[in-house]
Amino acid sequence: MLVAGGVGALRGLATPARRSPWTVLQRPAAAFHRRAYSAKTGDARAPRRWRRTAVVAAVSLGAGGLAVYNYDTAYFVAVSALRTSVAAAATCQVAWDYYRNFPALPPDDAPADDHRRAAAARSAVHLRAAERVRRALMTNGGVYIKLGQHLAAMQHVLPEEWCSTMQALQDQNTASSLEDVGRVVAADMGQSIDQLFAAFDPVPIGVASLAQVHRAVLRETGEEVAVKVQHPMVRAYSDIDIAAVSVMFEFVHSVFPDFKFMWLSAEMKS
């Protein structure tokens, strides 16, 4: 723009006048003085800044209002992404550890010390991997706890380090609050706990990874019943969690073709 303006202004002159090299550096100061003058004299250009500010504020308020209006969806997406990232990070770390540090078995005629070192190195990798996976499963809870409990019961297939590490998940079942239980009952039955039951024990008689059981008395018949209520976290995220686990299994199988536990992923889907 500076060159085009110079040519237009000097058209027809034989020798164009040279511009001072300081002109560009002087322009910000001149612009500053013009803005100050406009603000003082009430020039029509002064409100432009306020119009821009108003537009930015309106857009920000609109975006904020949309986020609040769609809070449930945004929260669901954020929590799902977080849960999946926890599982993905553990899967990648475990796969990398096995790929880099899991030694092959020495030949049968190798010295006994070689066999002991290989066995110790393998055991260390198994233990590190199991601990990483256990922490991820405990962080996510729900379906992931159920997966860990399955792994703990597979002593005939998995190394002892995996089974013993996952055994701790057998007792890691946290009960849902009575408020959460009430919301689940109302969503499923269309009535509150007080409307359905004459008595409802707030303390569950059993808590599993996917649901918990309460004693209750039906209001209509007076019959004593056991009410099984699924944990809200499981209800909300089970489909995404199962899909994420399936993807992780596929990833491990692609890295280690000898991975033989794809049936576990199919069992979780069913």
Side-chain angles (χ1 to χ4, degrees):
M1 294 299 295
L2 290 175
V3 174
V7 172
L10 299 177
R11 184 175 298 169
L13 297 182
T15 306
R18 293 186 178 181
R19 299 183 60 184
S20 170
W22 301 104
T23 302
V24 176
L25 296 180
Q26 293 168 355
R27 289 177 63 84
F32 172 80
H33 290 304
R34 284 198 301 272
R35 286 195 298 269
Y37 174 79
S38 298
K40 290 179 181 179
T41 59
D43 187 85
R45 290 173 295 181
R48 291 178 183 174
R49 291 176 303 168
W50 302 109
R51 286 197 294 268
R52 286 195 295 267
T53 302
V55 170
V56 172
V59 171
S60 301
L61 289 174
L66 183 62
V68 171
Y69 182 77
N70 294 315
Y71 172 79
D72 290 341
T73 301
Y75 181 80
F76 176 80
V77 171
V79 173
S80 300
L82 178 61
R83 293 169 67 82
T84 302
S85 66
V86 169
T91 301
C92 293
Q93 289 172 346
V94 168
W96 181 252
D97 199 2
Y98 273 105
Y99 181 78
R100 288 295 302 271
N101 302 314
F102 196 68
L105 289 174
D108 294 339
D109 57 352
D113 287 345
D114 290 350
H115 284 278
R116 282 193 292 270
R117 281 194 293 269
R122 284 178 163 230
S123 178
V125 174
H126 285 319
L127 189 58
R128 285 198 305 270
E131 281 292 337
R132 286 192 179 107
V133 172
R134 183 185 65 83
R135 288 195 296 268
L137 299 182
M138 291 182 64
T139 297
N140 283 345
V143 171
Y144 290 94
I145 295 290
K146 190 66 174 180
L147 173 61
Q149 293 171 348
H150 272 299
L151 297 177
M154 297 172 64
Q155 293 91 347
H156 60 292
V157 177
L158 293 176
E160 190 276 334
E161 294 86 352
W162 276 87
C163 295
S164 60
T165 300
M166 296 299 163
Q167 194 66 36
L169 296 178
Q170 298 290 6
D171 300 324
Q172 294 294 326
N173 299 314
T174 303
S176 297
S177 67
L178 185 60
E179 291 77 12
D180 287 339
V181 170
R183 282 191 286 269
V184 173
V185 171
D188 284 352
M189 307 300 296
Q191 292 180 288
S192 67
I193 290 178
D194 292 338
Q195 291 173 318
L196 290 169
F197 305 103
F200 190 92
D201 190 349
V203 180
I205 59 178
V207 181
S209 57
L210 303 181
Q212 62 192 51
V213 179
H214 293 261
R215 288 191 183 95
V217 177
L218 291 176
R219 185 171 293 280
E220 289 186 357
T221 64
E223 181 185 1
E224 292 187 3
V225 294
V227 182
K228 184 177 181 180
V229 183
Q230 196 174 44
H231 297 306
M233 183 69 73
V234 175
R235 292 170 61 87
Y237 300 104
S238 59
D239 291 341
I240 290 180
D241 289 344
I242 291 172
V245 170
S246 299
V247 171
M248 304 309 162
F249 274 56
E250 292 288 349
F251 168 74
V252 173
H253 183 65
S254 67
V255 177
F256 303 101
D258 294 334
F259 183 72
K260 303 297 183 182
F261 300 102
M262 294 303 297
W263 60 269
L264 189 57
S265 174
E267 183 177 320
M268 290 184 64
K269 290 180 181 179
S270 62

